[in-house]
C-alpha cells in the first residue's frame, strides 16, 4: 500500500562537544607562528597562524552564545565575562608578570621604559592599538621588538569578547521586537562581518602598517567563524555535509592546503590582512565545517595523533611564552641565537606551556570559588594591579637612571673634549677619545627627533598634500639667511648640529622632512630591502622641489639614508646618482645654494646603545672597519660628478672614523640613537665643524 506522507528529513547529527580538528588547527596555528618568529626567512607567511586562531575563537564563542540563547532566550553577561577571565587571564597575566621581571634583569636600560609601557598596554588589552599608533610613526619604526608585542592578537580577541555578546543580545532583542520567532543572529553577524572585511581591504591599502593591528580590520576574521557556527546549525548545510558525500573530505584537504599556501607564499611585504587574509581564514573555516571526515581520510590519523592534540591543548600557553623567550634569550646568552638555541627555545616554550596548563590554566577552571563572577572580578583586578605595579617599578627605575644620565651629560658637555670636540685639530688632554661614554643611558633629550620650542608647523597637515613645512626662528633680530633642511630621517638627525649653527648665525630654518623618502627624481622601489611607498615618495619629492623653487629660500641643506634605498633602474646606484643630479640641477637653476651632507657611516648593528650596554667597559667591541662602514653612495657620487657653482659636499666622516675604524662612542658621547640615527648629543657636538663647512 502506497503512503502519501512526505519522507522525514534526515535527523541532524548530535552536536559534538569535543572537536579534534579544532585542536589540530590550534596546533598548526601556533607552530606556524613560532616557526615564523624563529626562522622568518624560512616560513615567510607563518604569521597567518594568528588568523587561524581568530576564526577558531569566533566559531567557539559564537557556538557557546548560540547554545545559551537557544536554551534560555538570553545571555548572562556576568557569567560570560567570568568564564572568559578564568580561561584567559591567569596564564596571560602570569607570563606578563614573569616577563616584566625578567626584562628588568636582562634588558638594557634603554628598553625599560618602552617595555613598561607595553606591559601596561598588554595588561589592559590595548597592545594592538599601541602598536598601531607606533606603526604609522616612522621615528618609532626602527624601535627594537617589544618583549610583549605578541599580546596584540590577544588584545584584539579580548576586545571582541567584550563587544560580541552585546551584539548578540541586541540582535536577540531586535528579533523579538520585529520578527518574533525568527532569529536575526546569522544575517546581523553576516552584515558586521562583511562591513569589517570591506574596511580591512580599504584600510590595508591606505595604512597597511596600522591596519595590521587594528581591531576593526580583524573583526571579520572572527566573524567568519561566527557565521560558520550559526550556519552549521541549519538543516540543509548540515545534511549536505553529512549525507555520505565527498564534501567534508574535499573541504578539509582544501582548507589545510589554503592555510599552507598562505604560510609559504605570503611575506612581511604582503598587503595584509585585507583580501589576502581570506586564504587562511576561509581555509580554517573549511576545516571546521568539514568536521569529522572519518577513519578513511588519511588526515584523520594526523589530526587525532597524540602529539598533535597535545600541542593543541597547550597552544595558548605556547603562544604566550615563545615570544618573550625569543627576545630575552639573546640578552641572557650575550649573543645572537644559533639554530641549536632556537630549537631549545621551541622546546622550552612547550615545557613552560605544559606546566602553565597543568598548574595554572586547569586549576583556574576547576577551582570552585572562581566560578563566582564577583570572586573572578576581584581576583582579576588584583592580578592586573600587581602586573601594573611591576611596570610602575620599571618606570621608577627609568626615571632614576635618566636623572643620573642628565647629570652626567650636563657635566660632560661643558668639556671642550666632549663628543666630536675630542677630534678637533689641536685638541689636547682629551684622554681616551674612544673610551666608554659619560652615560650609557639615553634620555628623550638625546633622540634625533627632539622637540625644539623655536620650531612650529607652518604649512601642511592638509588632506590635499603630503608636505609638512616647519619653520624654526632663532633670535629676535631679522634673520641673516633663510635655510631649508630637507630629506628623510637622516637629514632630521642632523638637527642638533644645524639648529646650533642657526642659533649662532641668526638663521631662519625651514624643515621639510619625511621618513624613508629621499628628495630625488629617481623612483625608490625599496627601503632596506622592503617595499615602500614609491608613488608617495615621488609625489612628496616633487612637492618639495615646487615649494623650494617658489619660496624665498637662500640655501638647502640636505641628506638621506642613501645606502638603504633601491632605485628603479638596471643599476640602482647609477639610477640614484642621476636622480639626485636632476633634482639638484632644478634647485641650482632656481638660485639656491645646495649643501649635501654625506650620510653617516653604517654601524652593522641592530641597536648601538644596546651593544654599548652589553660591553660597558669595551666600546670598541661595537666599532666597525671603515672599509665596511663607509661605502660609495648615490648622493656623494652625484656631487662628485657634478662640479657646479653652489653645490657643495659636506663630508664629516673623519669625525666618526679614523683611518681604519668607525666608532659608536666618541669623546664620552654615544654616537647613535639606534642602528643608524645620530643622537642629539653627538649631533650638537658636530655644530662647530658643520658651521665651518656651511659658512
Amino acid at each position: 500500500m502506497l503512503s502519501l506522507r512526505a519522507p522525514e528529513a534526515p535527523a541532524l547529527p548530535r552536536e559534538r562537544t569535543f572537536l579534534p580538528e579544532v585542536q589540530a588547527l590550534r596546533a598548526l596555528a601556533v607552530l606556524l607562528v613560532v616557526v615564523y618568529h624563529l626562522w622568518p626567512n624560512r616560513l615567510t607567511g607563518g604569521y597567518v597562524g594568528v588568523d587561524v586562531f581568530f576564526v577558531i575563537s569566533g566559531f567557539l564563542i559564537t557556538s557557546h552564545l548560540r547554545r545559551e540563547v537557544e536554551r534560555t532566550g538570553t545571555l548572562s553577561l556576568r557569567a560570560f565575562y567570568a568564564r572568559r577571565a578564568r580561561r584567559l587571564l591567569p596564564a596571560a597575566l602570569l607570563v606578563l608578570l614573569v616577563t616584566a621581571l625578567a626584562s628588568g634583569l636582562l634588558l638594557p636600560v634603554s628598553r625599560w621604559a618602552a617595555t613598561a609601557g607595553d606591559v601596561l598596554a598588554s595588561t589592559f588589552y590595548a597592545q594592538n592599538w599601541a602598536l598601531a599608533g607606533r606603526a604609522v610613526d616612522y621615528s618609532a619604526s626602527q624601535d627594537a621588538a617589544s618583549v610583549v608585542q605578541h599580546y596584540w592578537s590577544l588584545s584584539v580577541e579580548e576586545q571582541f569578547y567584550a563587544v560580541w555578546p552585546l551584539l548578540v543580545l541586541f540582535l536577540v532583542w531586535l528579533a523579538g521586537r520585529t520578527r518574533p520567532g525568527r532569529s536575526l543572529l546569522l544575517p546581523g553577524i553576516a552584515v558586521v562581518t562583511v562591513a569589517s572585511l570591506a574596511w580591512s581591504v580599504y584600510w590595508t591599502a591606505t595604512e597597511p602598517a596600522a591596519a595590521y593591528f587594528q581591531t576593526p580590520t580583524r573583526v571579520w576574521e572572527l566573524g567568519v567563524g561566527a557565521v560558520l557556527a550559526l550556519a552549521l546549525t541549519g538543516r540543509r548545510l548540515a545534511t549536505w555535509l553529512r549525507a555520505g558525500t565527498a564534501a567534508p573530505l574535499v573541504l578539509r584537504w582544501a582548507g589545510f592546503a589554503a592555510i599552507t599556501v598562505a604560510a609559504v607564499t605570503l611575506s612581511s611585504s604582503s598587503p595584509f590582512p585585507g583580501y589576502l587574509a581570506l586564504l587562511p581564514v576561509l581555509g580554517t573555516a573549511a576545516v571546521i565545517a568539514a568536521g569529522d571526515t572519518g577513519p578513511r581520510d588519511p588526515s584523520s590519523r594526523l589530526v587525532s595523533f597524540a602529539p598533535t592534540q597535545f600541542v593543541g591543548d597547550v597552544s595558548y600557553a605556547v603562544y604566550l611564552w615563545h615570544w618573550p623567550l625569543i627576545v630575552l634569550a639573546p640578552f641572557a646568552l650575550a649573543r645572537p641565537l644559533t639554530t641549536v638555541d632556537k630549537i631549545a627555545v621551541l622546546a622550552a616554550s612547550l615545557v613552560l606551556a605544559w606546566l602553565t596548563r597543568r598548574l595554572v590554566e586547569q586549576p583556574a577552571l576547576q577551582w570552585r570559588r572562581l566560578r563566582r563572577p564577583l570572586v573572578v572580578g576581584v581576583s582579576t583586578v588584583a592580578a592586573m594591579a600587581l602586573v601594573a605595579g611591576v611596570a610602575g617599578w620599571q618606570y621608577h627605575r627609568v626615571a632614576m637612571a635618566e636623572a643620573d644620565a642628565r647629570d652626567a651629560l650636563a657635566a660632560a658637555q661643558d668639556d671642550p673634549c666632549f663628543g666630536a670636540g675630542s677630534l678637533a685639530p689641536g685638541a689636547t688632554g682629551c684622554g681616551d677619545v674612544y673610551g666608554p661614554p659619560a652615560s650609557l643611558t639615553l634620555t628623550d633629550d638625546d633622540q634625533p627627533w627632539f622637540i625644539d620650542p623655536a620650531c612650529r608647523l607652518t604649512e601642511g597637515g592638509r588632506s590635499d598634500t603630503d608636505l609638512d613645512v616647519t619653520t624654526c626662528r632663532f633670535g629676535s633680530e631679522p634673520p641673516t639667511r633663510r635655510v631649508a633642511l630637507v630629506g628623510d630621517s637622516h637629514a632630521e638627525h642632523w638637527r642638533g648640529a644645524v639648529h646650533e649653527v642657526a642659533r649662532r648665525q641668526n638663521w631662519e630654518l625651514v624643515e621639510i622632512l619625511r621618513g624613508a623618502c629621499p628628495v630625488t627624481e629617481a623612483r625608490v622601489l625599496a627601503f632596506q630591502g622592503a617595499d615602500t611607498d614609491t608613488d608617495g615618495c615621488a609625489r612628496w619629492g616633487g612637492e618639495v622641489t615646487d615649494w623650494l623653487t617658489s619660496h624665498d629660500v637662500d640655501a638647502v641643506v640636505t641628506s638621506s639614508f642613501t645606502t638603504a634605498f633601491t632605485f628603479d633602474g638596471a643599476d640602482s646606484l647609477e639610477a640614484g646618482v642621476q636622480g639626485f643630479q636632476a633634482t639638484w640641477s632644478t634647485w641650482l637653476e632656481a638660485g639656491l645654494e645646495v649643501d649635501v651632507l654625506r650620510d653617516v657611516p653604517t654601524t652593522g648593528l641592530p641597536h648601538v646603545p644596546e651593544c654599548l650596554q652589553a660591553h660597558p667597559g669595551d666600546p670598541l667591541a661595537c666599532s666597525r672597519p671603515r672599509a665596511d662602514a663607509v661605502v660609495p653612495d648615490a648622493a656623494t657620487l652625484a656631487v662628485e660628478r657634478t662640479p657646479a657653482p653652489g653645490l657643495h659636499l659636506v663630508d664629516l666622516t673623519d669625525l666618526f672614523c679614523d683611518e681604519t675604524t668607525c666608532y659608536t662612542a666618541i669623546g664620552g658621547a654615544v654616537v647613535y640613537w639606534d642602528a643608524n640615527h645620530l643622537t642629539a648629543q653627538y649631533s650638537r657636538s658636530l655644530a662647530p665643524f658643520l658651521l665651518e663647512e656651511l659658512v
Side-chain angles (χ1 to χ4, degrees), residues 55 98 159 196 304 361 382 504-505 528 547 610 646 658 666 668:
V55 179
V98 173
Q159 293 159 25
S196 173
S304 60
E361 292 184 73
R504 298 181 190 185
Q505 298 300 117
Q528 291 186 306
W547 193 96
E610 289 183 3
D658 59 22
I666 299 174

Side-chain angles (χ1 to χ4, degrees), residues 118-168:
D118 285 328
V119 167
L120 281 176
S122 298
T123 300
F124 298 102
Y125 290 96
Q127 180 64 27
N128 63 317
W129 292 106
L131 290 174
R134 293 207 295 264
V136 297
D137 178 7
Y138 176 77
S139 67
S141 67
Q142 302 293 314
D143 288 351
S146 165
V147 74
V148 292
Q149 70 180 29
H150 62 313
Y151 272 68
W152 78 267
S153 62
L154 305 182
S155 299
V156 170
E157 290 202 22
E158 287 295 333
Q159 293 159 25
F160 170 82
Y161 296 148
V163 174
W164 207 245
L166 300 177
L167 173 63
V168 171

